[in-house]
């Protein structure tokens, strides 16, 4: 790529789909932590509550506008207005859900009891079990990309209640499964069996993706997911800064995919069907996606 130029699609795809290294990392988690500005480890209760209240206000605003004004629209327009509302409210619910997810990691505040109380209330409002999710999700973090032990948790599916609340819940659940799939499915990511797996390589076998403005709506769990797997107690409002700080340490072990999200989703559902070792590979404990 020359100065002021642009890589062609073939070169871009080759770079995007490049496999991460699978050898043991030349750095330890302690090396990664040393590169992080100290303030990024701090969990600020006022800042966390700001984001919680912001999300609640946005969710209520969407609900108020939809319930009071969409019924006043001409009927043909409501067929467009309701799905638009469902998508917008589903995204807002997803942001609130991600804050509850942070509470399960104790990255919301320094008080685990407060995180659990708030997380339980928020998850219950979405008809999802907080403590079951908390423990199964921590198991996923403890065994990321282990063939034998990883659990990529997804919610069981929100129920229909009525068109104002139920549809956004279903959309939120769809967002959650969509995000979970895209953060852990990529042709360049490895899986490992017990002969090869170690925690840091497993944690690095995830990918950051750019969702545009939705990065902020989802509290950057999309564009700073690698950091989240390395140090899940770092609050979301520091993860982008931390990502920039540790990329020089991670080098080729860091995976970022700037492919448009829908294009990437279509590619991964076509190509990431199952995993197996490369044919004739000496290290048979390393698995790659196949279709």
């Amino acid at each position: 790529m020359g100065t002021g130029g642009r890589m062609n699609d073939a070169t871009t795809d080759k770079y995007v789909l490049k496999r991460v290294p699978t050898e043991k990392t030349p750095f330890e988690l302690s090396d990664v932590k040393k590169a992080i500005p100290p303030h990024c480890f701090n969990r600020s209760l006022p800042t966390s509550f700001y984001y919680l209240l912001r999300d609640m206000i946005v969710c209520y605003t969407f609900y108020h506008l939809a319930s009071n004004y969409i019924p006043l629209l001409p009927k043909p327009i409501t067929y467009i207005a309701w799905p638009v509302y469902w998508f917008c409210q589903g995204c807002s619910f997803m942001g609130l859900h991600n804050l509850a997810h942070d509470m399960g990691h104790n990255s919301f505040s320094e008080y685990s009891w407060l995180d659990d109380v708030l997380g339980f209330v928020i998850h219950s409002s979405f008809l999802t079990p907080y403590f079951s999710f908390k423990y199964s999700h921590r198991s996923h973090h403890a065994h990321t990309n282990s063939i034998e032990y990883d659990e990529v948790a997804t919610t069981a599916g929100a129920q229909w209640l009525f068109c104002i609340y139920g549809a956004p819940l279903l959309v939120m659940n769809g967002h959650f499964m969509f995000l979970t799939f895209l953060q852990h499915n990529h042709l360049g990511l490895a899986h490992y069996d017990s002969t090869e797996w170690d925690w840091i390589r497993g944690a690095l076998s995830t990918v950051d993706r750019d969702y545009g403005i939705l990065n902020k709506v989802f509290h950057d769990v999309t564009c700073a997911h690698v950091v989240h797997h390395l140090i899940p107690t770092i609050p979301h409002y520091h993860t982008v800064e931390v990502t920039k700080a540790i990329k020089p340490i991670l080098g080729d072990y860091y995976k970022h995919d700037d492919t448009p999200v829908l294009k990437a989703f279509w590619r991964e559902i076509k190509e990431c069907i199952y995993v197996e070792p490369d044919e004739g590979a000496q290290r048979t404990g390393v698995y790659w996606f196949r279709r």
Side-chain angles (χ1 to χ4, degrees):
M1 184 176 67
T3 304
R6 182 178 181 273
M7 291 187 292
N8 59 44
D9 289 342
T11 304
T12 302
D13 287 345
K14 184 177 180 180
Y15 171 77
V16 166
L17 300 179
K18 179 182 177 182
R19 288 178 170 182
V20 297
T22 57
E23 296 77 16
K24 289 188 179 293
T25 61
F27 50 83
E28 301 292 339
L29 183 60
S30 58
D31 299 315
V32 176
K33 289 182 176 180
K34 289 176 184 176
I36 299 173
H39 72 271
C40 291
F41 293 98
N42 297 333
R43 293 162 289 183
S44 167
L45 195 56
T47 302
S48 295
F49 265 111
Y50 159 75
Y51 285 105
L52 176 59
L53 292 175
R54 187 196 72 176
D55 282 7
M56 293 174 66
I57 290 170
V58 170
C59 290
Y60 176 77
T61 299
F62 279 136
Y63 164 78
H64 176 78
L65 293 175
S67 61
N68 286 281
Y69 296 104
I70 292 181
L72 302 179
L73 297 173
K75 191 168 185 179
I77 298 180
T78 63
Y79 293 128
I80 299 174
W82 279 119
V84 169
Y85 162 69
W86 296 337
F87 175 80
C88 294
Q89 187 68 289
C91 289
S92 300
F93 280 173
M94 189 65 224
L96 193 55
H97 178 277
N98 283 341
L99 289 182
H101 154 271
D102 289 352
M103 294 164 188
H105 284 294
N106 198 209
S107 63
F108 183 85
S109 77
E110 296 182 357
Y111 308 101
S112 58
W113 66 268
L114 177 61
D115 288 4
D116 284 343
V117 169
L118 292 174
F120 178 78
V121 171
I122 295 172
H123 269 260
S124 297
S125 70
F126 292 138
L127 308 181
T128 57
Y130 169 72
F131 289 101
S132 297
F133 176 83
K134 172 182 175 178
Y135 297 127
S136 64
H137 189 65
R138 285 190 175 185
S139 177
H140 158 60
H141 272 256
H143 305 100
T144 308
N145 280 21
S146 163
I147 292 293
E148 290 94 350
Y149 300 111
D150 190 10
E151 301 177 24
V152 179
T154 57
T155 53
Q159 294 84 2
W160 282 89
L161 296 180
F162 45 90
C163 67
I164 289 183
Y165 193 65
L169 274 182
L170 287 174
V171 174
M172 183 206 75
N173 187 61
H175 283 326
F176 180 76
M177 291 186 289
F178 183 84
L179 265 60
T180 300
F181 175 83
L182 279 179
Q183 302 308 139
H184 294 279
N185 288 266
H186 187 280
L187 289 170
L189 297 180
H191 290 67
Y192 305 91
D193 68 18
S194 57
T195 66
E196 284 284 345
W197 183 89
D198 61 53
W199 181 84
I200 194 164
R201 281 186 294 169
L204 288 168
S205 292
T206 185
V207 60
D208 287 350
R209 297 184 185 272
D210 185 5
Y211 285 68
I213 192 173
L214 290 180
N215 288 332
K216 296 304 179 186
V217 176
F218 298 150
H219 301 298
D220 296 319
V221 74
T222 45
C223 64
H225 202 71
V226 174
V227 164
H228 172 64
H229 266 270
L230 290 172
I231 314 174
T233 54
I234 288 181
H236 70 86
Y237 39 85
H238 291 316
T239 53
V240 171
E241 181 181 357
V242 172
T243 298
K244 295 177 181 177
I246 68 173
K247 281 170 65 175
I249 303 295
L250 303 184
D252 288 340
Y253 286 87
Y254 172 76
K255 174 61 72 174
H256 177 272
D257 185 358
D258 57 3
T259 304
V261 172
L262 293 180
K263 179 181 177 181
F265 180 69
W266 179 246
R267 182 187 67 210
E268 312 320 356
I269 62 172
K270 287 195 306 178
E271 303 293 336
C272 301
I273 307 301
Y274 64 94
V275 294
E276 68 176 6
D278 285 336
E279 185 176 351
Q282 292 183 346
R283 297 167 59 215
T284 57
V286 181
Y287 295 72
W288 300 98
F289 279 112
R290 298 283 192 270
R291 63 170 174 166

